[in-house]
């Protein structure tokens, strides 16, 4: 019986420790896993896509490059690259296109993202994402919507795809005179919280300045210098779960254009119905992006993939383009003081905040893989939208491996298996249960 137990337990533990990427194991040459596929390029290894728990090893995914103050003018050489050309150094590329084939490019100093018609009549768009993550700060974009026809959706968002935290601006072709604002926590999609801006001149013909001010205490949406909405963290307290349902996780700034008109009925109605392709082209344009980090000087080292030296600590990344003139020592000291003050400030909303932060952190960890991104496919998003209300969320789809695997609505891969998002904690729980079962079987003998 002891031998049987030992064999059973060994088999279970071996299964528990093996990283499965869908139906395969990622190897050393293709170490990064994304929804059932393994590869070594940026599309798979970039941190906002790469699944650490399912990849070849714990350090297969590229380190997260954290926020530094920056002004991105798309007329500069380092502003944008196709994801196939990105080698993991954020100091050389500020934004990357997530899709292949890519409908994003720089023309005349402007980032342009186009929605094009596919053979089945549906649209294939573009998503462009910052190569650095931000946790609180002010992000300002000078841009125009590409939503010339009903059905076309353009967006400017700050989102953590893995946890489902999001803050957004969205433009729909049904209304060219306003922009919509919303926020989500852990992919709990409440479209009734959407609030429109003041009346604007045609958002598809004119550049406007859109700004998100995000702090531990509140989010403010601003257009052309006019704040039209504020959400305070203290207002998001949910007594039932004992949690502030406030987006607070490190996330990525991105811009996109996608086909909402071919989605489920609720999505299509919100977006303005089926796209009138004769009204095209549908091109969203971004001229510049200013990013002002809330936490200053929090980067001391960052080692791009394939280079040597430096500290690989994911919590202390850096780049050659840090514009802060302070020394590393001064920055670290001041940042420690600031972080301490920020922690006090963040917990001052009420006496329960500190306890909730701990609970929220644990909650986020356990839910990391249970929540599928509402951006992973427009079909999933549309179904959720109809179940909730007739409001919306944008598509920020995961990358396809080739044109053949592309979801033609969104540019996402239909074949990427969301079941590969199973967290290590879930695997451990299953493994322990199996060990107990093995023990019981052994004892029976």
């Amino acid at each position: 019986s002891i031998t049987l137990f030992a064999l059973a337990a060994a088999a279970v533990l071996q299964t528990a420790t093996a990283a499965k990427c869908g139906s395969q194991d990622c190897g050393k040459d293709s170490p990064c896993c994304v929804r059932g596929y393994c590869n070594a390029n940026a599309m798979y290894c970039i941190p906002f896509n790469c699944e650490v728990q399912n990849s070849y090893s714990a350090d297969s995914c590229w380190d997260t490059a954290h926020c530094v103050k920056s002004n991105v003018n798309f007329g500069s050489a380092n502003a944008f690259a196709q994801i196939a050309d990105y080698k993991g150094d954020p100091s050389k590329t500020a934004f990357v296109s997530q899709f292949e084939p890519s409908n994003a490019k720089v023309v005349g100093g402007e980032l342009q993202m186009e929605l094009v018609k596919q053979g089945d009549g549906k649209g294939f768009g573009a998503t462009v994402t910052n190569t650095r993550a931000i946790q609180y700060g002010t992000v300002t974009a000078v841009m125009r919507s590409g939503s010339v026809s009903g059905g076309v959706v353009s967006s400017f968002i700050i989102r953590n795809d893995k946890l489902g935290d999001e803050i957004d601006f969205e433009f729909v072709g049904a209304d060219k005179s306003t922009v919509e604002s919303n926020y989500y926590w852990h992919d709990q999609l409440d479209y009734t919280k959407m609030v429109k801006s003041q009346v604007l001149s045609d958002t598809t013909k004119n550049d406007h300045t859109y700004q998100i001010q995000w702090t531990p205490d509140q989010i403010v949406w601003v257009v052309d210098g006019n704040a039209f909405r504020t959400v305070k963290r203290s207002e998001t307290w949910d007594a039932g779960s004992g949690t502030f349902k406030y987006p607070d996780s490190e996330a990525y700034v991105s811009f996109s254009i996608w086909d909402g008109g071919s989605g489920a009925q609720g999505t299509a109605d919100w977006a303005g119905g089926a796209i009138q392709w004769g009204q095209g082209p549908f091109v969203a344009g971004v001229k510049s992006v200013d990013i002002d980090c809330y936490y200053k000087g929090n980067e001391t080292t960052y080692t791009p993939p394939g280079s040597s030296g430096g500290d690989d600590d994911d919590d202390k990344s850096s780049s050659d383009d840090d514009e802060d003139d302070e020394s590393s020592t001064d920055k670290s000291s001041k940042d420690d003081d600031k972080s301490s003050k920020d922690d006090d400030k963040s917990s001052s909303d009420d006496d329960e905040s500190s306890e909730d932060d701990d609970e929220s952190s644990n909650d986020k960890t356990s839910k990391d893989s249970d929540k599928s991104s509402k951006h992973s496919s427009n079909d999933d998003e549309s179904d959720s939208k109809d179940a909730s209300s007739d409001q919306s969320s944008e598509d920020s789809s995961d990358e396809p491996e080739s044109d053949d695997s592309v979801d033609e609505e969104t540019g996402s891969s239909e074949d990427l298996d969301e079941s590969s998002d199973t967290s290590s904690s879930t695997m451990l729980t299953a493994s322990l249960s199996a060990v107990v079962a093995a023990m019981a079987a052994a004892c029976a003998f």
Side-chain angles (χ1 to χ4, degrees):
S1 60
I2 295 177
T3 302
L4 287 172
F5 167 72
L7 290 173
V12 167
L13 292 176
Q14 182 177 6
T15 300
T17 55
K20 293 293 291 185
C21 183
S23 61
Q24 60 183 307
D25 295 319
C26 293
K28 186 175 182 181
D29 293 334
S30 297
C32 302
C33 174
V34 177
R35 297 193 176 190
Y37 291 91
C38 301
N39 210 308
N41 62 26
M43 187 176 291
Y44 290 78
C45 296
I46 204 163
F48 52 75
N49 284 336
C50 191
E51 300 166 11
V52 177
Q53 71 275 18
N54 298 324
S55 295
Y56 173 69
S57 66
D59 58 356
S60 294
C61 300
W62 295 350
D63 286 344
T64 298
H66 303 295
C67 185
V68 295
K69 181 178 176 63
S70 60
N71 175 271
V72 180
N73 186 317
F74 285 99
S76 65
N78 292 344
F80 171 77
Q82 304 297 342
I83 197 164
D85 299 324
Y86 181 57
K87 306 303 179 186
D89 188 347
S91 68
K92 297 180 179 179
T93 305
F95 283 85
V96 294
S97 174
Q98 285 199 35
F99 298 166
E100 288 184 346
S102 174
N103 291 328
K105 59 185 177 181
V106 174
V107 179
E110 178 183 72
L111 172 65
Q112 295 186 354
M113 297 164 290
E114 185 174 9
L115 181 70
V116 298
K117 186 178 182 180
Q118 301 293 286
D120 62 357
K122 297 180 180 180
F124 180 85
T127 296
V128 172
T129 303
N130 193 213
T131 54
R132 292 184 176 278
I134 182 173
Q135 185 178 31
Y136 309 126
T138 299
V139 183
T140 307
V142 178
M143 64 175 293
R144 60 182 170 79
S145 164
S147 303
V148 177
S149 162
V152 182
V153 183
S154 306
S155 67
F156 159 26
I157 71 173
I158 303 174
R159 177 172 172 83
N160 181 319
D161 261 345
K162 295 182 178 179
L163 289 180
D165 285 357
E166 175 179 320
I167 307 165
D168 67 38
F169 279 111
E170 288 190 304
F171 308 82
V172 294
D175 183 0
K176 303 174 188 175
S177 62
T178 65
V179 63
E180 299 180 357
S181 67
N182 216 332
Y183 71 97
Y184 306 104
W185 179 82
H186 287 199
D187 266 338
Q188 294 185 11
L189 310 181
D190 183 357
Y191 304 106
T192 64
K193 296 185 301 185
M194 184 274 289
V195 174
K196 290 186 177 183
S197 71
Q198 71 274 20
V199 175
L200 306 170
S201 61
D202 192 330
T203 57
T204 66
K205 294 180 179 178
N206 302 291
D207 290 325
H208 293 277
T209 302
Y210 303 90
Q211 184 179 83
I212 295 172
Q213 300 172 5
W214 178 33
T215 72
D217 298 314
Q218 66 179 19
I219 306 166
V220 182
W221 287 260
V222 183
V223 181
D224 294 336
N226 299 311
F228 69 91
R229 183 184 190 184
T230 300
V231 171
K232 295 185 179 297
R233 180 176 184 270
S234 59
E235 299 170 347
T236 68
W237 174 256
D238 180 72
S241 60
T243 302
F244 287 99
K245 294 189 174 181
Y246 181 83
D248 58 6
S249 61
E250 195 170 36
Y252 289 86
V253 177
S254 68
F255 301 89
S256 65
I257 186 168
W258 56 282
D259 179 0
S262 63
Q265 193 62 50
T267 303
D269 291 344
W270 164 78
I275 294 176
Q276 303 302 307
W277 291 102
Q279 297 179 16
F282 308 112
V283 180
V286 184
K287 287 188 175 177
S288 65
V289 183
D290 290 332
I291 299 175
D292 189 3
C293 319
Y294 184 83
Y295 297 118
K296 314 289 184 182
N298 64 341
E299 298 203 15
T300 56
T301 61
Y302 178 75
T303 305
S307 61
S308 60
D311 182 5
D312 288 334
D313 186 354
D314 185 62
D315 292 328
K316 289 187 175 244
S317 304
S318 77
S319 77
D320 296 332
D321 65 345
D322 190 338
E323 299 175 3
D324 200 327
D325 292 329
E326 296 179 280
S327 67
S328 296
T329 302
D330 290 340
K331 286 192 293 184
S332 299
S333 176
K334 292 181 180 180
D335 187 61
D336 288 342
D337 293 340
K338 180 175 179 58
S339 297
S340 178
K341 293 178 182 178
D342 290 333
D343 289 340
D344 293 339
K345 179 181 178 185
S346 177
S347 62
S348 66
D349 289 325
D350 61 51
D351 293 336
E352 297 176 85
S353 175
S354 177
E355 296 177 3
D356 173 69
D357 287 341
D358 292 337
E359 180 176 352
S360 178
S361 177
N362 292 334
D363 192 31
K364 286 189 290 184
T365 302
S366 65
K367 291 182 180 179
D368 189 0
S369 61
D370 295 334
K371 298 270 186 184
S372 63
S373 167
K374 73 188 176 77
H375 303 283
S376 63
S377 82
N378 197 46
D379 291 336
D380 292 341
E381 178 189 11
S382 301
D383 292 342
S384 299
K385 185 178 302 298
D386 282 345
S388 305
S389 74
D390 289 339
Q391 301 302 322
S392 163
S393 69
E394 71 284 273
D395 174 78
S396 179
S397 309
D398 288 294
E399 69 292 348
E401 187 172 28
S402 69
D403 195 18
D404 291 336
S405 64
V406 168
D407 178 329
E408 293 178 339
E409 282 187 75
T410 65
S412 66
S413 172
E414 293 181 314
D415 297 329
L416 296 181
D417 184 5
E418 292 188 2
S419 66
S420 66
D421 285 340
T422 304
S423 67
S424 57
S425 61
T426 303
M427 293 175 63
L428 179 59
T429 301
S431 300
L432 291 175
S433 299
V435 168
V436 172
M439 291 175 64
C443 291
F445 286 89

